[in-house]
Amino acid sequence: MEAALTLANSGAIKRPLKVSLVLTGLAVGILCKPPAAPLHGWGQLISRASLYLLLAAATHALAVWGMWRRLRNDGEADRSHLWPLIWIAWIAIVWLPLIALLTREHSDWIVIFEPLVGVLVMLILRWDAVPEARMEAPRTRQPTVVWMDDSPALWRVLLPAVVLSIMLQVGGSLMIAGEKLGAGAVLTAGAFYLLECWLRRPRLLSASIVERSSRRVSAINSLAVWLLLAVALTPFLAYYGSIAGGMRNVMAMHVPALKPPPPANATGKNAAGYSGIILVQPPKPHEIVAPVAPDPFGSLGKPRVIEFDGAYWYFKAPDTQPEPTARVAHGDPIKNHIFSTNLQPLQMEAHQPLGRPLALSCCRSLRVQMKNADNVPGKISVEVLLRDTSSKRIETVSLGTIVLPSSAVSPMPLHRAPVEEALTFKVPTTARGKTFNEITVRITPEHGRSLAGAQVAVENFVLQP
């Protein structure tokens, strides 16, 4: 390879590299985008990262092959040039899928990798621009009786530092303003200038050294880009809440909303998994047993606490409760990760039976004590429903919906301890004549993260007179 490819005529590498930059850039720009639905497991994540890298490699190889055939027909290349051209140009092209993905994610990391790709492209375009004789012949000062100061002017020495300072300030200002691509372009231009100043000095590596190391450098770059693609896709994991939420903060990215779920008859029953899940809690001693109030408008004398020992229901629309075939298990929504196996959002409800009916006139409000251990960005809404399942005509009274304050924090802390929160729901005056023997807490994450059950638990209820 070394003897056959001494790319003294720079067109032999410049033209294939430029063509591949355009074609591969277009391909990855269209196809390398964030997943439309969450990734269920590390296998899907690794497969998608590998697919993006293989797409870029195939497009690059075809582009270089097409340009190599044209160079061969013009007498500027022969058969031995093909693979060296592919390997050398791949050193820079391999980063394009990562650039495309980070751009679609609006990640701040684009400011780092955009100048890196630009520097690699410029190095490849310029590494063969200086003849070998110039690089190998050392410069020696000849003895003379006449001396002339040939040192560069002061402004030439200071100019690179001044340009670098200006570029950093402008790039930083654009970054603060939210213009990530503009900041990356400014920093790339600054890197180009500094690299050009460095390339003017006789310190270039010889062409033979670059050719011998091109495969090794390409392989190392490919592994690095593959790992970085996997990292960039980590925020889209469906049920590794702490990891996905943490990587959203690390990547400083905006995760696009998921596509609307397909109709229920096309997805609900054929996917792998269970038709529903019921997590049963161990029984707890109750402070009171709800009696039937002899006076439907009577009230409690003091606040009463009802410890939650009911069950958590997980199901999907159009069902209103888990099917008879649903799995029943002892568990905790904070410790157990439950997620949808298709694009349908999960419905999550906590049900607390009271035994005998209690008049709604017993209290002015109901306080729900909850624990939020979820650190995935996205608001979680809580609705309280009261119903009397013992009556012939079951009526449901909604006490309204409140957003968990700890779920609305932005940015979400990476490592946050579970947060204890109390939500107070007022009993409407129009429902004072009704009774209830069951409390339902409906827990609904926002749509972008509704494919996984929220790591939220109900601890107790307080009836406040």
Side-chain angles (χ1 to χ4, degrees):
M1 177 180 70
E2 179 182 347
L5 182 64
T6 54
L7 299 177
N9 57 336
S10 58
I13 182 62
K14 286 183 178 179
R15 280 179 282 178
L17 176 60
K18 292 177 180 178
V19 171
S20 180
L21 273 174
V22 174
L23 297 182
T24 308
L26 288 175
V28 300
I30 296 173
L31 300 177
C32 294
K33 54 187 177 181
L39 305 175
H40 297 293
W42 296 102
Q44 291 188 10
L45 184 146
I46 292 173
S47 299
R48 185 173 287 266
S50 302
L51 179 62
Y52 288 168
L53 197 60
L54 290 175
L55 170 67
T59 307
H60 167 66
L62 288 174
V64 174
W65 176 78
M67 198 63 207
W68 166 79
R69 290 194 52 161
R70 182 173 178 178
L71 291 173
R72 188 183 62 174
N73 294 336
D74 295 341
E76 300 180 29
D78 55 34
R79 186 180 300 275
S80 62
H81 285 170
L82 178 59
W83 284 108
L85 285 173
I86 291 176
W87 282 113
I88 293 175
W90 181 244
I91 294 174
I93 300 297
V94 67
W95 294 92
L96 293 182
L98 182 64
I99 295 293
L101 184 60
L102 293 178
T103 301
R104 291 289 191 93
E105 292 177 351
H106 304 285
S107 172
D108 293 346
W109 288 89
I110 188 67
V111 179
I112 296 177
F113 292 105
E114 189 177 349
L116 173 63
V117 175
V119 168
L120 290 174
V121 170
M122 188 172 183
L123 280 173
I124 294 173
L125 293 177
R126 293 293 306 275
W127 69 266
D128 60 334
V130 180
E132 295 275 345
R134 177 185 170 186
M135 290 180 276
E136 295 176 357
R139 296 176 60 185
T140 59
R141 182 183 294 271
Q142 299 296 329
T144 178
V145 296
V146 179
W147 177 81
M148 181 179 62
D149 185 8
D150 59 351
S151 58
L154 179 61
W155 69 271
R156 290 184 178 274
V157 176
L158 297 178
L159 184 60
V162 174
V163 171
L164 177 61
S165 177
I166 294 175
M167 291 296 183
L168 288 177
Q169 293 183 49
V170 174
S173 301
L174 290 174
M175 185 70 184
I176 295 174
E179 298 292 337
K180 303 178 184 65
L181 288 177
V186 170
L187 294 178
T188 302
F192 276 178
Y193 176 76
L194 294 179
L195 187 61
E196 178 67 22
C197 293
W198 179 76
L199 289 175
R200 290 174 183 172
R201 303 178 181 181
R203 296 180 180 178
L204 294 179
L205 295 175
S206 79
S208 59
I209 295 177
V210 175
E211 292 165 16
R212 286 197 300 267
S213 61
S214 61
R215 292 192 180 186
R216 182 168 63 253
V217 176
S218 296
I220 294 174
N221 278 12
S222 299
L223 178 60
V225 171
W226 180 80
L227 292 174
L228 290 171
L229 282 171
V231 171
L233 290 170
T234 303
F236 297 93
L237 286 172
Y239 54 92
Y240 291 91
S242 59
I243 297 177
M247 288 309 301
R248 285 183 177 93
N249 296 331
V250 171
M251 298 297 296
M253 57 174 283
H254 167 71
V255 180
L258 301 176
K259 292 181 179 180
N265 58 4
T267 62
K269 312 305 178 188
N270 297 327
Y274 304 102
S275 62
I277 294 178
I278 300 176
L279 291 183
V280 181
Q281 308 300 299
K284 298 179 182 178
H286 287 194
E287 182 180 341
I288 62 170
V289 176
V292 176
D295 180 3
F297 295 95
S299 62
L300 300 174
K302 62 179 182 178
R304 301 297 176 91
V305 178
I306 303 174
E307 296 292 337
F308 180 78
D309 60 358
Y312 294 93
W313 292 2
Y314 298 88
F315 55 93
K316 300 176 185 178
D319 296 338
T320 57
Q321 64 182 27
E323 296 184 355
T325 57
R327 181 183 178 184
V328 180
H330 290 274
D332 185 341
I334 292 180
K335 298 179 180 179
N336 296 96
H337 298 278
I338 299 176
F339 58 93
S340 173
T341 56
N342 52 29
L343 294 179
Q344 276 194 277
L346 276 180
Q347 307 288 333
M348 178 182 177
E349 294 180 355
H351 288 260
Q352 175 62 54
L354 302 180
R356 294 181 294 173
L358 180 67
L360 273 168
S361 58
C362 71
C363 49
R364 291 182 301 173
S365 62
L366 174 65
R367 190 175 74 221
V368 183
Q369 188 68 33
M370 307 187 72
K371 179 184 290 186
N372 180 15
D374 202 312
N375 60 359
V376 177
K379 296 180 181 180
I380 300 175
S381 301
V382 178
E383 181 184 9
V384 172
L385 305 170
L386 304 178
R387 61 169 60 94
D388 187 355
T389 59
S390 63
S391 63
K392 294 182 179 180
R393 183 181 178 183
I394 300 178
E395 294 185 9
T396 300
V397 177
S398 174
L399 302 188
T401 302
I402 299 177
V403 174
L404 271 176
S406 59
S407 69
V409 175
S410 180
M412 184 68 67
L414 180 58
H415 299 290
R416 184 180 70 173
V419 180
E420 301 279 351
E421 294 187 88
L423 305 181
T424 301
F425 297 83
K426 293 184 178 181
V427 176
T429 55
T430 56
R432 291 297 176 90
K434 300 178 182 179
T435 59
F436 68 99
N437 69 348
E438 181 181 271
I439 304 175
T440 300
V441 180
R442 183 172 293 163
I443 302 170
T444 307
E446 66 180 20
H447 183 72
R449 46 158 301 176
S450 60
L451 298 186
Q455 292 180 278
V456 175
V458 178
E459 296 187 319
N460 58 57
F461 305 95
V462 180
L463 301 175
Q464 299 176 319

